[in-house]
Amino acid sequence: MSVKDRFFLERDKAVLVVIDVQEKLCLAMDDKILNKLTRNIAILLETAQELGIPALITEQYVKGLGATLPELKEKAGDAGYFEKMAFSCCGSTDFMKRLTSTGRTQVIITGMETHVCVLQTVIELRDAGFEVHVVRDAVMSRSKRNWQIAAEAMTLTGAVPTSTESVLFQLLKVAGTEEFKKLSKLVR
């Protein structure tokens, strides 16, 4: 695999995954960081909708942690929702069936908590042969130290660290298109 193939996202190969951004879990997060995370995930959900990229949203133990934040649900369009009890998304048979049924090999990861559900998902997806891109400004933990340790660990698995804007512009590829005009406004 070339360096370009490893690091560049392709819209026909990509899937967006939003992990456990749920109402009650968000109450334990730093508000300032949570607001940035929510904004960035909303941008990625809008991008996925516009570009025809499947989005999969997981919810950990909904009875205890609540549903996905309403502001993300409104941007999610026809995303698939998957309740889970395992920390890793890969522990959900339905999630894995849906992911593999897309035939896509690049997984864009967002959500929380970075050192628990996000990290375990990344490890299992890498082990299953997926190219994983972790959007570092769209994942969070309650503690910055836990976020940092998990970010390092995910990079060691071979996951590509990236940012919301990098994902957006890699998927767009060129300026001047109608898609570019619409989506680039999201990051201005």
Side-chain angles (χ1 to χ4, degrees):
M1 175 181 294
S2 74
V3 172
K4 182 180 168 186
D5 287 342
R6 178 162 153 57
F7 283 87
F8 276 19
L9 289 162
E10 301 291 338
R11 68 173 74 180
D12 62 337
K13 293 181 182 179
V15 176
L16 175 64
V17 174
V18 179
I19 301 172
D20 307 346
V21 185
Q22 296 165 252
E23 295 164 324
K24 291 179 185 173
L25 183 57
C26 289
L27 296 174
M29 302 295 163
D30 177 281
D31 283 340
K32 187 176 178 182
I33 297 170
L34 178 62
N35 289 338
K36 289 178 184 174
L37 170 112
T38 304
R39 177 183 179 275
N40 290 336
I41 294 174
I43 289 167
L44 294 169
L45 283 166
E46 282 191 58
T47 299
Q49 286 297 308
E50 180 69 23
L51 302 180
I53 295 169
L56 309 179
I57 299 174
T58 65
E59 297 174 321
Q60 179 76 26
Y61 182 55
V62 175
K63 182 178 177 184
L65 297 176
T68 299
L69 290 179
E71 56 264 45
L72 295 181
K73 280 186 166 184
E74 75 180 36
K75 303 285 185 186
D78 59 357
Y81 286 82
F82 302 90
E83 185 171 357
K84 64 187 182 65
M85 292 300 287
F87 296 119
S88 170
C89 296
C90 300
S92 165
T93 303
D94 290 340
F95 172 86
M96 287 306 293
K97 282 181 184 174
R98 177 70 184 275
L99 177 61
T100 55
S101 76
T102 68
R104 293 165 181 248
T105 57
Q106 297 177 329
V107 183
I108 303 164
I109 295 287
T110 67
M112 60 178 66
E113 283 198 69
T114 310
H115 64 293
V116 184
C117 298
V118 173
L119 175 60
Q120 289 184 32
T121 300
V122 168
I123 290 168
E124 289 198 47
L125 288 173
R126 289 292 299 135
D127 199 48
F130 289 93
E131 287 299 319
V132 177
H133 294 249
V134 179
V135 188
R136 287 212 181 161
D137 59 359
V139 294
M140 74 179 296
S141 294
R142 286 166 289 152
S143 130
K144 185 174 182 178
R145 186 71 184 136
N146 281 338
W147 177 89
Q148 290 171 325
I149 290 167
E152 291 173 31
M154 291 185 289
T155 302
L156 289 173
T157 71
V160 175
T162 192
S163 69
T164 300
E165 285 196 36
S166 291
V167 169
L168 173 65
F169 290 109
Q170 282 182 25
L171 293 170
L172 284 171
K173 298 274 187 260
V174 297
T177 64
E178 288 305 312
E179 292 169 337
F180 172 83
K181 290 173 187 173
K182 182 176 182 179
L183 294 173
S184 64
K185 291 177 186 175
L186 299 175
V187 294
R188 287 190 197 139

